[in-house]
Amino acid sequence: DMEGFMEEMGGEISVPVLKGDWDALPANVRKYIAENVRLCRPKGVFICDGSDEEAQEITEKMVNRGLLTKLEKYENCYLCRTDPADVARVEGKTFIVTKEKFETVPHVQEGVKGILGQWMSPEDAEKEIKDRFPGCMKGRVMYVIPFSMGPIGGPLSKVGVQLTDFNYVVLSMRIMTRVSSKNWDVLGENGEFVQCIHSIGAPRPLERKVINHWPCNPERIMITHFPDQRKIMSYGSGYGGNSLLGKKCFALRIASRIAKDEGWLAEHMLILGVTNPDGVEKFMAAAFPSACGKTNLAMLTPSLPGYKVRCLGDDIAWMRFDDEGRLMAINPEAGFFGVAPGTNTKTNPVAMETCMKNTIFTNVGMTEDGGVFWEGMEKEIKREQLITTWLGDEWHVGDKGKAAHPNSRFCSPAGQCPIIHDKWEDPAGVHIDAIIFGGRRPEGVPLVFEAFDWQHGVMLGAALKSEATAAAEFKGKQIMHDPMAMRPFMGYNFGDYLKHWSDLNKPGRQMPKIFHVDWFRLNDSGKFVWPGFGDNIRVLDWICRRVDGEDIAVPSAIGLLPVEGSLNVEGLNVSWEENFNLPKEYWQDDIEETKNFLQAQVGSDLPESISNEVAKQEDRINHM
Ligand code: GDP
Ligand code: PGA
Ligand code: MN
Ligand code: MN
């Protein structure tokens, strides 16, 4: 069995420690490293301390190797181009391993292929791992990365130790998490930490040609999670969520499972604070699927005078009710891994400023003067500038094809965001007043509406859908269900997850109000009916006023809509009708489709509280 196998692998370390003090590590950490050294056979072990000098040393090596290009136009910024076969999260190769299948996935309807999580048996996982990991780091260095999700030592924070054979991952983890030797002193009960084992799957001598100095093994990618052992094993990819294991694997999949057991929430949500002209601040958490606007909303520059938005996080929230019944949220991350295309000084000046120093750009274009370029930056460079595309080709604005990959990213420290909130590292978190769900919905969905109550809001989250984006391997513009924006990140049975959410509503708790937004509705000529970006403050303002109980909402079949004129559209050339009309036929089809989806995919695990809400919504729509 796997445990016996790993036991044999344990013991003292058999290769040189290239950096760091082996004997200073806690005994269980030494055992963990040693057993994975015997499994992966690296040529040496490099224990990271998270210092700037360490990063400098690694960066220089990578520049010399050609994996990083210094961007001369900015301060301490680098460009990385991946193997074009390794550009996004690979959901089809992502698994949760538990003894009991239905701990991980719902009892789907007979004959239905489940899409809410993928289960693998421990036996199959053991086989797949033995097929990949033995010797997978031969000829490479194993980096040991001690990191904290959340402020180091905070009551809501958790420690992980990532082992990786890819230096790009070391530099990225330093930005995205808190990497520090201090983490050795704040491990959990009994020295607990989340085990994060990552290999690009390219031992030497190489069997596959390395492209762009980016070794990987795309045909054999496999990302496995063992929630019971608090362990992640990821193989074959160096990209984003596949390799920066603190992010999706730990902070969402493993953490959501821990959160269920411990009564809290680990969610795919940004966190922001919005202050109105009277100086009153409210905090919101918003769940949108990948590449649907979280980073942009979190960094919003208000188009209305007197308002201020400050950012606490752009991707993940860990939330827990405190003793006073308030929902408190922290951002477990320390950096932003933001979508580059579409970002510019008009749409998101804050992100542009954030990424102009200490940033790693991946798969964007480069201008001849050592700057970055991507789709959406056409007005920010001289038109005749020569650009090198993410594929290494020469290119000019107006030429065929794209300069940047649609899922190209900037990876920047959160602390340097000009509107970062002074409480962003408060270990206690901030008090969430409103939760917002949204996705890319080209048709039928109003700009904003409010749930009637908590149960209705949970149903709206369960029914979340969006057009597919480039963040994962899917192609085309199909509308996909992405319940709670968590479909790719679910750590356990989605029916149990919905029940957990429903059960949070207890006497004595101040339940946040729940809202649904859509920035992406199109009109008959295919244009966005809402300007979005900085003008989204107008929607946040309406939400704040609703949290204060202002009488500006009117019931509709799908939820509470803004009373006509109550949402400030002054100075905008937008049609209220195009933004807020509810086409009855569209919603009849939609609720039918949603009902079928939940019955098919969550099956007998669907809580009654949700099916009741769906039935009530259907009835309301039929009476529209
Ligand atoms: P995230 O992956 O959820 O963080 O999404 P981002 O904030 O990075 O945005 C993804 C893409 O959606 C980018 O190309 C943005 O320019 C675009 N986007 C974000 N907010 C808006 C908006 O309000 N309106 C429109 N039309 N596009 C948006
Ligand atoms: P985002 O995060 O697209 O939600 O910003 C990265 C991802 O989900 O892969
Ligand atoms: Mn995300
Ligand atoms: Mn983002």
Side-chain angles (χ1 to χ4, degrees):
D1 66 319
M2 197 64 190
E3 249 156 62
F5 171 70
M6 293 308 277
E7 197 64 38
E8 277 170 41
M9 291 278 160
E12 265 323 291
I13 194 158
S14 49
V15 297
V17 175
L18 306 171
K19 192 191 163 212
D21 183 358
W22 175 255
D23 295 317
L25 298 178
N28 62 326
V29 174
R30 291 205 305 264
K31 180 163 179 286
Y32 162 64
I33 300 171
E35 69 191 23
N36 283 294
V37 162
R38 301 217 176 171
L39 177 65
C40 305
R41 302 277 161 195
K43 67 179 181 195
V45 168
F46 184 112
I47 304 166
C48 299
D49 60 21
S51 66
D52 290 345
E53 297 73 50
E54 179 176 279
Q56 213 50 52
E57 184 192 320
I58 293 171
T59 304
E60 265 163 42
K61 248 188 218 149
M62 290 169 70
V63 170
N64 292 338
R65 277 284 170 88
L67 178 52
L68 289 185
T69 304
K70 182 155 175 31
L71 291 164
E72 296 297 343
K73 206 168 163 183
Y74 321 115
E75 183 189 332
N76 195 30
C77 287
Y78 296 87
L79 169 66
C80 183
R81 300 205 315 244
T82 72
D83 182 322
D86 192 20
V87 294
R89 282 184 290 100
V90 187
E91 293 178 12
K93 299 290 167 59
T94 301
F95 300 91
I96 310 278
V97 184
T98 48
K99 272 208 191 86
E100 165 60 44
K101 175 176 177 182
F102 300 107
E103 238 178 73
T104 293
V105 291
H107 291 80
V108 298
Q109 241 169 25
E110 223 177 281
V112 167
K113 187 186 176 312
I115 64 155
L116 300 174
Q118 294 196 96
W119 174 75
M120 192 184 270
S121 72
E123 296 72 32
D124 287 347
E126 180 181 345
K127 193 177 146 290
E128 299 291 345
I129 283 165
K130 283 185 173 172
D131 254 9
R132 287 174 175 76
F133 279 87
C136 67
M137 295 187 184
K138 271 190 190 152
R140 298 189 183 277
V141 173
M142 174 193 276
Y143 296 90
V144 177
I145 310 172
F147 66 97
S148 176
M149 300 311 289
I152 294 176
L156 304 179
S157 305
K158 297 210 179 292
V159 178
V161 180
Q162 178 152 346
L163 310 178
T164 181
D165 52 6
F166 200 17
N167 40 20
Y168 167 86
V169 168
V170 178
L171 292 186
S172 305
M173 284 293 285
R174 269 190 92 248
I175 296 172
M176 295 307 299
T177 74
R178 293 157 176 95
V179 175
S180 164
S181 307
K182 283 187 208 140
N183 286 307
W184 301 127
D185 304 327
V186 294
L187 301 180
E189 245 173 83
N190 308 315
E192 195 191 68
F193 59 89
V194 174
Q195 303 178 32
C196 304
I197 301 142
H198 169 252
S199 172
I200 47 181
R204 292 180 215 276
L206 290 164
E207 281 177 15
R208 185 179 182 278
K209 197 169 155 250
V210 174
I211 302 172
N212 284 341
H213 311 278
W214 177 279
C216 58
N217 197 343
E219 292 81 29
R220 310 215 70 212
I221 288 175
M222 201 187 61
I223 300 139
T224 45
H225 304 69
F226 301 80
D228 294 319
Q229 287 106 298
R230 313 279 195 244
K231 178 158 113 180
I232 301 151
M233 292 188 86
S234 169
Y235 183 92
S237 166
Y239 203 88
N242 302 330
S243 71
L244 315 181
L245 301 189
K247 199 173 183 45
K248 308 301 188 180
C249 298
F250 175 171
L252 289 175
R253 298 193 192 97
I254 296 284
S256 68
R257 165 58 198 282
I258 302 176
K260 183 198 79 161
D261 295 345
E262 297 180 356
W264 52 283
L265 294 168
E267 300 297 333
H268 192 204
M269 291 179 175
L270 67 91
I271 310 168
L272 63 80
V274 48
T275 310
N276 72 10
D278 295 331
V280 180
E281 183 168 47
K282 293 197 165 47
F283 292 99
M284 303 176 183
F288 309 157
S290 302
C292 291
K294 289 182 303 301
T295 302
N296 275 272
L297 189 64
M299 297 183 186
L300 177 147
T301 303
S303 66
L304 293 177
Y307 287 82
K308 186 157 82 180
V309 166
R310 285 183 292 171
C311 172
L312 291 107
D314 81 326
D315 198 44
I316 300 177
W318 285 0
M319 304 189 285
R320 195 191 287 258
F321 283 94
D322 68 7
D323 295 340
E324 274 126 77
R326 302 176 304 178
L327 185 60
M328 305 300 288
I330 66 161
N331 170 14
E333 300 192 277
F336 305 122
F337 186 64
V339 177
T343 311
N344 62 47
T345 47
K346 282 256 153 51
T347 57
N348 194 344
V350 172
M352 290 304 275
E353 197 181 325
T354 303
C355 72
M356 290 296 118
K357 57 183 180 191
N358 308 318
T359 293
I360 301 172
F361 294 92
T362 303
N363 288 340
V364 304
M366 185 172 84
T367 57
E368 52 193 326
D369 60 344
V372 290
F373 180 83
W374 49 72
E375 281 52 47
M377 280 182 75
E378 292 78 5
K379 295 206 175 115
E380 323 232 334
I381 64 158
K382 287 200 211 81
R383 222 188 140 75
E384 61 281 4
Q385 274 221 36
L386 176 65
I387 289 163
T388 309
T389 70
W390 74 282
L391 291 166
D393 301 325
E394 290 192 356
W395 192 88
H396 291 90
V397 172
D399 286 357
K400 261 203 351 243
K402 288 192 155 121
H405 186 275
N407 192 38
S408 56
R409 300 271 173 164
F410 57 84
C411 180
S412 310
Q416 69 188 36
C417 170
I419 61 158
I420 198 75
H421 201 287
D422 18 333
K423 285 197 179 159
W424 87 277
E425 297 198 274
D426 185 338
V430 293
H431 171 190
I432 297 297
D433 299 293
I435 288 174
I436 308 173
F437 293 114
R440 283 176 186 263
R441 298 288 292 274
E443 207 193 326
V445 181
L447 177 62
V448 57
F449 60 98
E450 179 186 331
F452 294 117
D453 54 29
W454 181 259
Q455 289 311 335
H456 182 233
V458 176
M459 186 277 280
L460 293 179
L464 204 63
K465 304 185 214 187
S466 181
E467 230 169 40
T469 70
E473 72 267 36
F474 304 107
K475 300 271 179 291
K477 291 221 155 186
Q478 83 259 34
I479 304 278
M480 295 172 72
H481 278 275
D482 194 343
M484 312 302 253
M486 282 288 279
R487 177 184 41 74
F489 312 120
M490 277 307 304
Y492 63 98
N493 182 318
F494 187 66
D496 295 342
Y497 170 97
L498 288 177
K499 183 159 189 316
H500 181 50
W501 264 79
S502 288
D503 290 349
L504 291 174
N505 187 14
K506 292 201 174 100
R509 285 185 172 172
Q510 303 170 36
M511 302 312 287
K513 275 181 180 283
I514 298 180
F515 298 84
H516 189 286
V517 300
D518 179 18
W519 317 140
F520 299 94
R521 193 171 184 176
L522 302 175
N523 63 17
D524 295 339
S525 27
K527 294 241 158 60
F528 290 120
V529 301
W530 179 249
F533 301 105
D535 283 312
N536 292 335
I537 187 66
R538 299 164 187 269
V539 174
L540 299 188
D541 170 58
W542 188 82
I543 290 174
C544 286
R545 287 155 62 202
R546 284 299 300 156
V547 169
D548 282 337
E550 229 181 282
D551 185 15
I552 48 173
V554 49
S556 79
I558 63 166
L560 300 163
L561 282 172
V563 169
E564 182 152 359
S566 68
L567 188 135
N568 180 350
V569 290
E570 230 179 279
L572 293 184
N573 183 18
V574 298
S575 148
W576 189 272
E577 168 68 14
E578 279 184 348
N579 274 284
F580 288 104
N581 78 67
L582 292 184
K584 176 167 180 175
E585 256 176 52
Y586 176 87
W587 281 97
Q588 277 179 319
D589 293 349
D590 179 87
I591 193 70
E592 180 68 18
E593 197 274 334
T594 296
K595 188 170 69 179
N596 292 340
F597 167 79
L598 291 173
Q599 278 170 1
Q601 288 290 334
V602 198
S604 56
D605 293 314
L606 187 67
E608 222 176 74
S609 56
I610 303 292
S611 40
N612 284 344
E613 287 301 326
V614 172
K616 287 198 286 187
Q617 181 111 334
E618 184 175 27
D619 189 55
R620 283 191 302 265
I621 290 168
N622 286 333
H623 287 91
M624 265 169 83

